[in-house]
């Protein structure tokens, strides 16, 4: 399977773990076959979620990315 490598930036802050959880959940809901890794970001305190998604589904990424980048507090209230 051909994959595209996409990233979600996770900035340092008090909600970082929650943000990682939300982003992983959002990505895997849409792309259950995705392979995810957490990697060091460009800045020392930042992390990246590297998502390898099927190339044939690349057009779905922008909507997933918007949801994965949203604040954990916003995402939590949106799902209640």
């Amino acid at each position: 399977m051909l994959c595209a490598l996409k990233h979600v930036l996770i900035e340092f802050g008090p909600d970082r773990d929650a943000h990682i959880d939300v982003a992983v959940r959002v990505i895997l809901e849409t792309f259950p076959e995705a392979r995810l890794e957490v990697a060091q970001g460009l800045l020392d305190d930042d992390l990246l979620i590297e998502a390898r998604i099927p190339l044939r589904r690349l057009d779905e990424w922008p909507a997933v990315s918007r949801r994965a980048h949203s604040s954990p507090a916003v995402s939590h209230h949106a799902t209640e």
Side-chain angles (χ1 to χ4, degrees):
M1 167 176 59
L2 292 176
C3 293
L5 179 63
K6 303 303 281 180
H7 295 96
V8 176
L9 175 64
I10 307 292
E11 295 178 340
F12 181 78
D15 293 333
R16 178 160 61 178
D17 289 339
H19 190 178
I20 291 170
D21 292 343
V22 167
V24 166
R25 179 181 49 79
V26 165
I27 294 167
L28 291 177
E29 282 176 355
T30 306
F31 307 106
E33 67 278 32
R35 291 178 301 182
L36 306 178
E37 290 183 42
V38 177
Q40 183 64 44
L42 292 176
L43 300 177
D44 289 342
D45 293 335
D46 291 344
L47 298 174
L48 290 173
I49 297 177
E50 293 183 338
R52 286 170 176 76
I53 62 170
L55 189 58
R56 69 183 185 287
R57 298 184 64 197
L58 187 58
D59 61 333
E60 297 174 60
W61 179 255
V64 173
S65 177
R66 282 190 296 277
R67 289 177 40 221
H69 279 96
S70 67
S71 157
V74 171
S75 297
H76 175 71
H77 293 300
T79 59
E80 290 182 344

